[in-house]
Amino acid sequence: MKLYILKENHECSAVRKGKITKTAVVNIRSSTTVPETTFKGKLKNKKKPSNMDDRVERIKNKITAYPDFPKPGILFRDIFSVLQTPPVFHDLMAVLEEKVKSVCPDVDIIMGLDSRGFLFGAPLALSLNKPFVPVRKRGKLPGELKQVSYTLEYGTDVFEAQASSIKQGQKVVIIDDLLATGGSMKAASELVKEMGGVVALCLVCIELADLKGRDKLKDPCESIVKY
């Protein structure tokens, strides 16, 4: 039996009759050897996807695309098809929760944007045992309000939140279904700051990366699926 040093990463293989029969990974500097593994046939060194990758792939496969909606030239990515498949919806909520715990484990508030952000923000807040704050279009909320205006493709719109829902210095995670041009997420971030809060994370299920909405945001941003 002959022993060959295959490459600098200290992987050694014992070769007999054209077959790899034993492989050991040796750390030359520390002179330690990882326990050997026996193979029959060719050595396959494929990295197994992580659990996170598996779930994201299932989520992405369930998102439906509709061309020319709501107008010609637009490819609409529909998250509702994920909600119609409970195991995949569970995957999505689990990944969202892990993102929040990773980036901002001491979050104080989960804020959801009108209206699809409510679908994910409310159950996420409940799972984290944190308050949920809805951001709505103008005229939909009672009481004393804070508001911010933002620009749409044709005109402007206004986001509002109840003034007492965020206290000074509280850390807020803003969640929505989609990040496209970034106008609504940017407006929500400004609203949080106007209310005295700190934007800890902007979190979306789907990001349309070509539209560069992330470039408009000054705060940390995470997405689950990118196109």
Side-chain angles (χ1 to χ4, degrees):
M1 180 182 295
K2 296 181 179 179
L3 186 66
Y4 296 91
I5 302 295
L6 297 182
K7 50 188 177 181
E8 194 176 354
N9 70 352
H10 313 145
E11 181 180 88
C12 305
S13 294
V15 182
R16 178 185 292 156
K17 295 182 180 179
K19 295 183 178 181
I20 297 175
T21 58
K22 293 183 180 179
T23 297
V25 180
V26 181
N27 186 327
I28 294 176
R29 291 183 179 178
S30 61
S31 299
T32 58
T33 304
V34 178
E36 65 182 24
T37 305
T38 301
F39 296 88
K40 291 182 179 179
K42 296 181 179 180
L43 177 66
K44 295 181 179 180
N45 187 24
K46 293 184 178 179
K47 185 178 180 181
K48 186 178 179 180
S50 67
N51 186 41
M52 172 76 82
D53 292 340
D54 292 342
R55 289 177 296 173
V56 170
E57 191 64 27
R58 287 194 294 269
I59 294 163
K60 189 170 187 177
N61 289 339
K62 274 296 176 182
I63 295 172
T64 309
Y66 292 93
D68 299 321
F69 183 86
K71 59 184 181 180
I74 294 178
L75 181 64
F76 186 82
R77 303 285 183 178
D78 185 21
I79 196 70
F80 285 158
S81 50
V82 171
L83 276 60
Q84 294 166 10
T85 312
V88 183
F89 189 12
H90 184 274
D91 284 340
L92 176 57
M93 293 308 305
V95 172
L96 289 170
E97 183 172 342
E98 288 166 19
K99 288 281 189 184
V100 173
K101 288 180 176 178
S102 173
V103 176
C104 185
D106 56 347
V107 60
D108 296 306
I109 300 286
I110 302 295
M111 172 181 276
L113 303 192
D114 194 341
S115 61
R116 288 189 176 94
F118 301 166
L119 298 172
F120 312 103
L124 179 61
L126 190 62
S127 181
L128 293 169
N129 197 32
K130 301 296 180 181
F132 174 70
V133 174
V135 171
R136 300 220 63 186
K137 300 293 180 64
R138 181 164 44 189
K140 301 293 186 181
L141 289 172
E144 183 183 352
L145 305 172
K146 292 286 188 179
Q147 64 176 219
V148 63
S149 61
Y150 61 101
T151 303
L152 300 171
E153 187 176 358
Y154 302 106
T156 60
D157 210 339
V158 175
F159 268 159
E160 294 181 330
Q162 291 173 318
S164 61
S165 58
I166 296 177
K167 296 179 176 61
Q168 189 72 30
Q170 284 189 311
K171 296 179 181 179
V172 181
V173 169
I174 307 171
I175 186 167
D176 202 6
D177 69 316
L178 179 73
L179 180 65
T181 60
S184 57
M185 185 62 78
K186 180 176 181 286
S189 297
E190 293 171 355
L191 181 59
V192 169
K193 294 166 187 175
E194 176 70 20
M195 298 171 72
V198 176
V199 179
L201 177 64
C202 300
L203 181 60
V204 296
C205 302
I206 302 171
E207 179 180 357
L208 305 181
D210 289 346
L211 297 181
K212 301 186 184 301
R214 182 184 291 260
D215 294 347
K216 293 183 179 180
L217 306 178
K218 298 179 181 179
D219 306 295
C221 180
E222 292 281 349
S223 57
I224 307 306
V225 174
K226 290 184 181 181
Y227 292 99

